[in-house]
Amino acid sequence: MGKKVYLNHDGGVDDLVSLFLLLQMDEVELTGVGVIPADCYLEPAVHASQKIVDRFGHGQDLDVATSNSRGKNPFPKEWRLHAFFVDALPILNEYRPIKTVVSKLPAHRHLIQKIRESKEQMTLLFTGPLTDLARALDEAPDIEDKIEQLVWMGGTFLEQGNVQEPEHDGTAEWNAFWDPEAVACVWRSKIAINLVALESTNKVPLTHEVRDRWASLRTHTGVDFIGQCYAICPPLVHFQTNSTYFLWDVLATATIGNSKLVKKRTVYSVVHTSGPSQGRIEAAKEGRPIQLVYDVDREAFFDYITGLAQKA
Ligand code: AGV
Ligand code: CA
């Protein structure tokens, strides 16, 4: 078995596709999945996760935990509804009953338990807000040494993030904006952080070309699944809008299976936790070091994920 990875996601289309892809990586042993109701509604996101493990998990014995965390700044409802669509896909509803179990523990305690149980260090992949990790660190500081690295899709150093809300200046990325305090808490830890920020994913928008490629390979059940999932997301056609979809979480996930897809550099940064810039992560000389993914080999990335999907 490969390296141990725990996934905490927030039920968006690319979160659920990330779960699917992790299950196809030979070099990854998925130890658990937590679902947080940020960019999703909890019930369909948890159900979809269970069904993805059932259908595409190659018999892996995994449980899924639901988070009871709540954010400071709620996601737009239209985006949160996406989880209902994925959960309803016929490809996930062919077989019953659902076998993958939902843990009795809330997601942050589930995370603590999985880390403590493990003999080896664990990689954490967070594709939504960091709230469950912040709570876990607060309740169980002992887990910090057992965390090999955190790969987080979140934040941006760009002047313009993707939050367009009243009372905000637009400098934040949504996962950070949902719970800025949690980001600050994780930044105070000594965990090695690999950040897949908005600038990292700008080279991997969803386009018609990407869709066509998946369509041409749809006789592979796994590729068909990805194509179906992304059918609800607006692609980049003429210009970027606030609803344009990038393969944000999927890029973060891909770096775990194949680190050669991206280039990283060290950035020192601080987190804004209140006021109009809340959720902003700003470069600062005396700040905390993180590894920022600043470039990606676009073609190699799409080849890699499409290849993984063909294995499903
Ligand atoms: O900011 C990117 C994060 C990723 O974790 N999410 C979506 C990804 O799962 C929030 C988000 C930003 N823009 C969005 C988002 C959009 N247009 N639709 C849905 N979610
Ligand atoms: Ca997400």
Side-chain angles (χ1 to χ4, degrees), residues 3-309:
K3 71 172 152 197
K4 295 198 169 198
V5 178
Y6 186 101
L7 169 69
N8 182 289
H9 75 74
D10 69 338
V13 165
D14 58 337
D15 295 81
L16 294 164
V17 170
S18 295
L19 168 59
F20 160 76
L21 290 171
L22 275 180
L23 292 166
Q24 314 314 319
M25 294 179 185
D26 293 331
E27 49 286 290
V28 166
E29 183 195 341
L30 196 55
T31 58
V33 178
V35 186
I36 183 166
D39 196 6
C40 70
Y41 289 93
L42 195 54
E43 201 175 278
V46 170
H47 286 165
S49 302
Q50 291 173 277
K51 293 172 192 172
I52 289 169
V53 177
D54 276 7
R55 172 90 204 211
F56 296 113
H58 306 282
Q60 278 187 68
D61 183 24
L62 264 182
D63 51 354
V64 175
T66 60
S67 172
N68 56 13
S69 297
R70 295 294 176 263
K72 196 168 158 209
N73 300 297
F75 270 93
K77 183 177 175 182
E78 303 77 61
W79 299 352
R80 296 185 69 194
L81 286 167
H82 288 171
F84 283 101
F85 171 86
V86 177
D87 184 41
L89 288 176
I91 207 168
L92 293 183
N93 291 284
E94 206 173 351
Y95 306 114
R96 285 283 151 77
I98 295 177
K99 292 199 191 85
T100 297
V101 171
V102 174
S103 171
K104 288 194 181 71
L105 296 173
H108 69 290
R109 297 224 169 103
H110 186 250
L111 174 64
I112 295 171
Q113 189 195 51
K114 295 291 176 186
I115 294 174
R116 282 181 176 162
E117 257 172 31
S118 167
K119 284 198 196 83
E120 303 123 67
Q121 280 201 318
M122 206 178 285
T123 289
L124 308 186
L125 172 60
F126 273 64
T127 58
L130 292 175
T131 317
D132 285 325
L133 176 56
R135 291 174 72 194
L137 289 169
D138 188 48
E139 272 187 34
D142 58 284
I143 61 171
E144 196 176 308
D145 293 337
K146 295 273 293 285
I147 300 171
E148 187 175 330
Q149 57 162 340
L150 164 69
V151 176
W152 181 42
M153 193 286 126
T156 183
F157 293 100
L158 301 172
E159 279 188 16
Q160 206 184 333
N162 62 7
V163 172
Q164 292 179 13
E165 292 285 303
E167 302 188 331
H168 195 267
D169 65 9
T171 53
E173 180 280 332
W174 261 103
N175 288 339
F177 179 61
W178 197 75
D179 188 353
E181 280 293 346
V183 183
C185 169
V186 172
W187 252 236
R188 283 192 295 272
S189 77
K190 292 191 180 64
I191 300 169
I193 298 177
N194 286 296
L195 194 68
V196 175
L198 290 182
E199 47 272 59
S200 327
T201 61
N202 269 345
K203 268 186 149 178
V204 290
L206 176 68
T207 59
H208 283 310
E209 180 206 342
V210 172
R211 281 205 165 135
D212 289 350
R213 179 170 181 189
W214 291 334
S216 73
L217 293 167
R218 66 178 285 272
T219 49
H220 298 271
T221 308
V223 183
D224 192 32
F225 172 66
I226 299 190
Q228 301 279 353
C229 285
Y230 276 105
I232 200 178
C233 306
L236 179 63
V237 185
H238 303 295
F239 60 91
Q240 190 180 323
T241 72
N242 194 37
S243 355
T244 305
Y245 220 89
F246 292 81
L247 275 80
W248 301 284
D249 301 348
V250 172
L251 178 62
T253 304
T255 66
I256 289 185
N258 184 355
S259 58
K260 293 198 187 90
L261 296 172
V262 295
K263 289 188 197 143
K264 296 178 208 164
R265 62 183 162 87
T266 307
V267 180
Y268 296 82
S269 66
V270 294
V271 180
H272 294 251
T273 53
S274 60
S277 306
Q278 58 184 280
R280 176 177 182 192
I281 301 173
E282 190 182 9
K285 267 194 197 133
E286 283 79 41
R288 182 233 210 262
I290 56 105
Q291 293 294 309
L292 172 70
V293 169
Y294 69 91
D295 195 21
V296 49
D297 182 340
R298 188 176 184 277
E299 226 154 279
F301 164 73
F302 280 106
D303 287 350
Y304 177 59
I305 61 167
T306 308
L308 281 177

